[in-house]
Structures are given as structure tokens and as C-alpha cells.
């Protein structure tokens, strides 16, 4: 027999896709077990441990993503459609469905105050910080952002993650804080999307080298246009969310026989919430705000039309799906970290912007 010949095997991105989901599901399982351990720790010692389950799962994702990159040379690609249409909606829907509505509406004035003015303060401070990099700190190799780049970049960083922040606060012990964190996050999300969509045309026009006077005429937003866009986002989200919630409630009352099928009732609650999210995204409206409002409407109007089995099932199943989605999200983010090459990274700028974001957030909260 002749000598064995090594046949090179081509590793494609499609083959990596078969590894993404099993690793992410493994991360979900670890997320659940770490969550059990942390909750047991909190009940035993009556304070939070030094690490959160999301950190453990994200670090596991980074480790596994690095192993995949080292063995195959191919990085796991972040799929926006997978994240925004399958992972994020269950988390927001469960939060709205299980929300203590009394506390939420009780502190609506504070939620609106911090959500609107806090987001604007963050946006202004982060924009100024991003624009100052390369000018105030003018050492060799510093990239100087234009105002349009700084505005779009700031709109992205202004959005806060209310899901992770809410997981660090015991809602039962601090109902006011929990309501403020989540409510402010929902308003912040809608306003951040409006700011991004408002300033993005100016940035695209700048990159296309359109004359400055044309950019100012066609794309420069006014204060009234931003305010009207925010109001339109909120009104449309309210309308779509409420319509889907009321449609489901009416359907449950119109078909009494459906009360004999708790599985179908549970599925319809979830599907009507998901429908509101997809409709809102299709019209360019904040799907997060819409599905949150839809979940509140479903919990307020439809929950009482469900049979007792379906009432229990919706509470437990939606919370369980949300936990799985959160674990998948954190592990998936860690997996996809290795898609960036070292040449594309600027560690100094990243550290600088982390300090700017933390400082802006802290300063705006203290001032308000």
C-alpha cells in the first residue's frame, strides 16, 4: 500500500453554522444552571454575588468562538435577523406580560422624564465625547470623527440594555427601581431609534460626497421633526400593540369553545404578541416598544379570558422561553466576537468610548 495522503477539507461558513446552534444551546443550559446557583446564593446570603450569569455565558461563547476560529479559520457571523426576530422578542414580551402594571403606570411621570431627557443628555454628551477624540486628544494615529459620524455613532451608543440592568435588581424588593429601569429603557429604545434614523441620511450623504448645501436642505433635521418623529413612534407603537391585544381579547370572548384547549390559547397569546412586533418592524417602527405594549394589553385584557390552565401556562412558558432567549443571546454575542480582525480594532478608542459612555450615563442620571 502506498503512503497515506492528507486530503485538505474545505471549511465553509455553512459548516460552521452547524456548530453555532449546539454551542449556543449549551450556553443556554449553562445560563440556567448558573442562574439557579446565583439565585440560591442570593437567598442564602441575601446579596448579589460578584458575577452575573450573563457574564459566564458570554465568556464561554468567547472561548468556544476562539476555538472554532483557531481550528477552522472561520469566524461565527452575527445574524441580525436571527437575533432581532427570534431572540429579542420573547425577552421583551415576557417582561411586558409579567410586568407589575400598577407600579409601571404609578411612576409613568418619572419614566417619561428619565426616558426622554436622560436619553437626550446621553446623546449630547456621547456625541461631544466622540467628536473630541482626535482633537482634544490629538496624538498620532487618532481618527478624527466628523459631526455626522459622531451623531450616528452616539445614537447607537445611547440605547441602553434594560434587560440586563433589570436582572440585577430584585423587583420584589425594589419595585420602584425595577419599574424605572425597564420603563426608561423602553422609552430610550424608541428615542434612540428615532435619533439614528434621523441622522443616518446626513452621514450617508456625507459618505457619498453630496455637496454640503444639498445635505443641509434634504437631510438636516429640525428640533420639531425629531419631536414629531418620537411622537409618531410612540403613537404608532401604542396603536399596533393595543390593536393586537384587543383583537386577541375579542377573539377569546367570541369563541368560548377555545377555553377547552389551553395549549391553543397559550400559543395564540404568544403569536399575537409576535405579530405586533413583525408588523411594527415592517413599517419601520420600534418593534420592542410595540411588543411591550402588546404584552401589557394581552396581560390586562386577554389573561382573564383564558382558562386557569392557560393562565398558569402563559406565565411559566413565557418566562422559560425568555430565559432561554437571554442565554442564547449572550452566548451568541460571545461566539461572534472573533469575526473582527485585530487590524479593524482600536483598543485605545474602545477604552476611551467606554469611559465616555459610563461618564455620560452617570452624569445625566445625577443631574436629572
Amino acid at each position: 500500500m502506498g503512503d497515506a495522503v492528507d486530503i485538505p477539507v474545505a471549511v465553509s461558513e455553512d459548516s460552521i453554522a452547524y456548530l453555532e446552534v449546539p454551542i449556543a444551546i449549551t450556553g443556554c443550559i449553562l445560563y440556567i444552571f448558573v442562574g439557579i446557583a446565583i439565585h440560591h446564593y442570593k437567598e442564602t446570603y441575601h446579596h448579589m454575588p460578584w458575577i452575573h450569569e450573563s457574564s459566564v455565558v458570554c465568556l464561554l461563547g468567547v472561548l468556544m468562538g476562539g476555538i472554532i476560529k483557531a481550528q477552522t479559520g472561520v469566524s461565527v457571523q452575527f445574524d441580525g435577523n436571527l437575533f432581532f426576530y427570534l431572540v429579542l422578542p420573547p425577552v421583551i414580551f415576557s417582561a411586558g406580560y409579567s410586568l407589575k402594571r400598577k407600579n409601571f403606570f404609578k411612576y409613568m411621570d418619572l419614566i417619561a422624564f428619565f426616558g426622554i431627557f436622560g436619553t437626550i443628555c446621553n446623546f449630547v454628551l456621547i456625541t461631544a465625547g466622540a467628536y473630541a477624540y482626535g482633537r482634544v486628544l490629538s496624538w498620532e494615529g487618532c481618527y478624527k470623527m466628523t459631526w455626522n459620524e459622531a451623531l450616528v455613532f452616539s445614537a447607537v451608543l445611547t440605547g441602553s440594555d434594560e434587560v440586563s440592568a433589570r436582572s440585577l435588581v430584585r423587583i420584589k424588593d425594589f419595585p420602584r427601581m425595577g419599574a424605572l429601569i425597564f420603563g426608561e429603557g423602553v422609552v430610550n429604545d424608541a428615542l434612540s431609534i428615532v435619533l439614528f434614523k434621523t441622522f443616518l441620511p446626513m452621514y450617508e450623504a456625507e459618505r457619498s460626497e453630496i455637496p454640503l448645501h444639498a445635505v443641509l436642505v434634504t437631510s438636516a433635521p429640525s428640533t420639531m421633526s425629531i419631536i414629531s418623529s418620537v411622537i409618531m413612534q410612540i403613537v404608532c407603537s401604542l396603536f399596533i400593540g393595543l390593536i393586537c391585544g384587543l383583537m386577541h381579547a375579542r377573539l377569546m370572548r367570541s369563541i368560548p369553545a377555545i377555553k377547552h384547549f389551553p395549549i391553543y390559547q397559550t400559543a395564540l397569546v404568544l403569536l399575537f404578541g409576535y405579530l405586533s412586533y413583525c408588523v411594527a418592524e415592517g413599517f419601520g417602527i420600534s418593534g420592542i416598544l410595540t411588543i411591550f405594549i402588546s404584552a401589557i394589553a394581552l396581560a390586562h385584557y386577554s389573561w382573564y379570558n383564558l382558562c386557569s390552565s392557560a393562565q398558569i401556562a402563559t406565565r411559566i412558558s413565557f418566562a422559560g422561553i425568555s430565559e432561554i432567549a437571554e442565554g442564547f443571546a449572550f452566548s451568541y454575542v460571545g461566539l461572534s466576537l472573533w469575526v473582527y480582525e485585530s487590524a479593524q480594532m482600536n483598543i485605545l478608542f474602545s477604552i476611551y468610548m467606554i469611559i465616555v459612555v459610563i461618564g455620560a450615563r452617570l452624569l445625566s442620571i445625577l443631574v436629572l
Side-chain angles (χ1 to χ4, degrees):
M1 294 180 66
D3 295 334
V5 178
D6 293 332
I7 301 176
V9 179
V11 180
S12 64
E13 293 185 3
D14 292 335
S15 63
I16 296 300
Y18 292 106
L19 298 174
E20 293 178 20
V21 177
I23 293 174
I25 292 176
T26 304
C28 295
I29 296 172
L30 179 65
Y31 182 81
I32 299 298
F33 278 107
V34 175
I36 293 172
I38 288 177
H39 284 292
H40 177 71
Y41 181 92
K42 288 194 293 186
E43 291 177 358
T44 304
Y45 299 101
H46 305 291
H47 65 85
M48 283 290 297
W50 60 273
I51 195 168
H52 191 257
E53 55 260 39
S54 59
S55 304
V56 176
V57 175
C58 192
L59 290 174
L60 175 67
V62 172
L63 176 62
M64 296 305 298
I67 294 174
I68 293 174
K69 178 69 177 291
Q71 293 295 321
T72 65
V74 180
S75 301
V76 175
Q77 298 285 334
F78 182 84
D79 189 342
N81 289 329
L82 174 66
F83 182 80
F84 289 106
Y85 281 94
L86 291 179
V87 178
L88 186 61
V91 177
I92 305 301
F93 182 81
S94 175
Y97 195 78
S98 59
L99 179 72
K100 301 297 183 183
R101 297 183 295 278
K102 181 179 179 181
N103 288 332
F104 183 79
F105 292 108
K106 180 180 179 180
Y107 304 118
M108 182 58 72
D109 53 342
L110 290 175
I111 289 172
F113 179 73
F114 280 102
I116 295 174
F117 293 102
T119 302
I120 293 173
C121 287
N122 281 326
F123 178 73
V124 172
L125 292 173
I126 295 174
T127 301
Y131 184 77
Y133 184 81
R135 291 176 171 81
V136 177
L137 308 174
S138 55
W139 49 68
E140 186 179 356
C142 281
Y143 176 74
K144 294 183 179 180
M145 277 191 172
T146 65
W147 274 115
N148 291 331
E149 287 176 328
L151 288 168
V152 175
F153 187 59
S154 175
V156 175
L157 296 183
T158 299
S160 61
D161 179 17
E162 69 276 6
V163 177
S164 295
R166 193 174 57 88
S167 66
L168 297 173
V169 177
R170 291 172 293 184
I171 306 299
K172 293 181 181 179
D173 297 338
F174 304 99
R176 182 178 185 231
M177 180 66 70
L180 286 178
I181 289 175
F182 192 83
E184 184 270 345
V186 171
V187 178
N188 169 275
D189 170 74
L191 187 53
S192 298
I193 291 173
V194 171
L195 290 171
F196 180 80
K197 291 182 177 180
T198 301
F199 293 106
L200 183 61
M202 297 176 62
Y203 169 71
E204 292 176 339
E206 181 182 66
R207 292 294 298 269
S208 302
E209 297 182 355
I210 297 176
L212 180 60
H213 65 86
V215 175
L216 294 176
V217 171
T218 59
S219 303
S222 63
T223 303
M224 289 305 299
S225 67
I226 296 176
I227 294 174
S228 62
S229 298
V230 173
I231 294 174
M232 184 62 65
Q233 284 271 340
I234 296 174
V235 171
C236 292
S237 297
L238 280 169
F239 179 76
I240 297 173
L242 284 174
I243 286 296
C244 288
L246 294 175
M247 282 175 58
H248 180 271
R250 182 62 183 174
L251 185 65
M252 293 296 101
R253 291 181 63 87
S254 301
I255 311 176
I258 203 171
K259 286 193 174 183
H260 301 291
F261 304 98
I263 295 177
Y264 294 152
Q265 292 182 61
T266 304
L268 284 173
V269 173
L270 182 60
L271 288 172
F272 268 84
Y274 193 75
L275 174 66
S276 68
Y277 180 87
C278 294
V279 170
E281 289 292 323
F283 283 102
I285 302 166
S286 173
I288 294 177
L289 180 58
T290 303
I291 196 172
F292 177 72
I293 294 169
S294 176
I296 294 177
L298 288 166
H300 187 72
Y301 295 106
S302 296
W303 193 80
Y304 300 100
N305 295 321
L306 303 176
C307 65
S308 57
S309 299
Q311 289 177 344
I312 298 173
T314 53
R315 295 289 191 190
I316 296 176
S317 60
F318 296 162
I321 294 172
S322 174
E323 288 294 322
I324 295 172
E326 285 189 32
F328 189 92
F330 289 121
S331 60
Y332 195 55
V333 167
L335 279 170
S336 59
L337 175 68
W338 297 95
V339 73
Y340 301 102
E341 302 292 340
S342 58
Q344 297 175 290
M345 297 184 181
N346 189 326
I347 303 300
L348 186 62
F349 177 71
S350 300
I351 295 173
Y352 170 81
M353 286 309 304
I354 288 174
I355 296 173
V356 168
V357 170
I358 293 175
R361 189 76 173 170
L362 179 64
L363 184 62
S364 62
I365 291 174
L366 290 176
V367 169
L368 293 178

